[in-house]
Amino acid sequence: SSDVCSSDLPIDKKLRESETTIDKLDKNTSMGNRNYRLKFLLEDKYRGKLDVSNAKQIISDHYDVLLEKDQMNSKTICKHSELDPVEATLFGAMDGKIVTTEMVRKREFLGRFGSSCGKRNFNVSFFRDNLKLIEYKKYVINYPPENWSLIKIT
């Protein structure tokens, strides 16, 4: 079997090195930190155990490799940029999708609107705590967390 994943940068080394200046595993960057964690989860912790349940755990992961602890921020796989202690922003992982070989055969996948962990919520306190972003409040729709849904393509 083959696992394919990435977090906002090319997986292919030749393309990454010719088109970007990003170090795939630089723990100081959001992309590097997240890829470092993905590498550990896929190649060590869940090696040979990848299924839908574990895939949900992986894409909902809040472990910051640099800080060596769970903390929702922009450097975790679930990517909660709105909770970043250094600079909160209005972007990050806004949905989650999981597909297995069997699902591909059936033309279906699992999806979740909002963060993969189900906790994304831009509430009033977000803008109170981040006044420099207050001008964007009128554009932000505070959707309630959604459950995982099976999407079938007919």
Side-chain angles (χ1 to χ4, degrees):
S1 79
S2 176
D3 308 323
V4 178
C5 70
S6 182
S7 53
D8 303 333
L9 78 157
I11 297 170
D12 181 75
K13 183 178 180 180
K14 183 178 177 186
L15 177 64
R16 187 175 58 253
E17 290 176 351
S18 68
E19 298 290 330
T20 75
T21 58
I22 297 167
D23 178 351
K24 179 180 175 181
L25 300 177
D26 179 357
K27 296 181 211 175
N28 293 299
T29 68
S30 175
M31 289 178 275
N33 198 315
R34 291 161 54 223
N35 273 288
Y36 192 94
R37 181 68 174 165
L38 276 170
K39 181 176 173 45
F40 165 75
L41 293 174
L42 291 174
E43 295 178 9
D44 294 321
K45 184 172 183 179
Y46 293 107
R47 184 176 194 86
K49 299 181 259 182
L50 196 55
D51 58 17
V52 170
S53 178
N54 289 340
K56 287 178 183 179
Q57 292 299 312
I58 291 168
I59 65 174
S60 299
D61 190 80
H62 296 131
Y63 189 80
D64 184 317
V65 176
L66 189 63
L67 299 177
E68 297 181 344
K69 66 179 183 176
D70 282 325
Q71 180 176 324
M72 291 182 180
N73 62 41
S74 65
K75 291 184 176 147
T76 66
I77 294 171
C78 201
K79 192 154 181 163
H80 288 274
S81 297
E82 77 281 10
L83 299 174
D84 195 274
V86 176
E87 184 176 0
T89 58
L90 288 169
F91 64 86
M94 300 304 252
D95 62 21
K97 293 178 259 337
I98 296 171
V99 64
T100 65
T101 303
E102 186 59 30
M103 288 177 178
V104 169
R105 288 186 184 116
K106 293 179 179 179
R107 297 174 44 108
E108 60 189 29
F109 66 94
L110 282 172
R112 178 180 222 169
F113 187 68
S115 60
S116 295
C117 70
K119 295 179 182 169
R120 182 169 307 279
N121 191 0
F122 292 113
N123 57 29
V124 174
S125 65
F126 172 81
F127 292 101
R128 183 186 64 234
D129 297 340
N130 298 282
L131 292 175
K132 67 181 180 175
L133 299 172
I134 196 74
E135 67 184 283
Y136 300 104
K137 183 177 180 183
K138 61 186 171 189
Y139 302 110
V140 175
I141 299 170
N142 196 17
Y143 293 105
E146 296 290 337
N147 292 322
W148 287 97
S149 298
L150 183 65
I151 303 359
K152 296 181 180 191
I153 301 167
T154 58

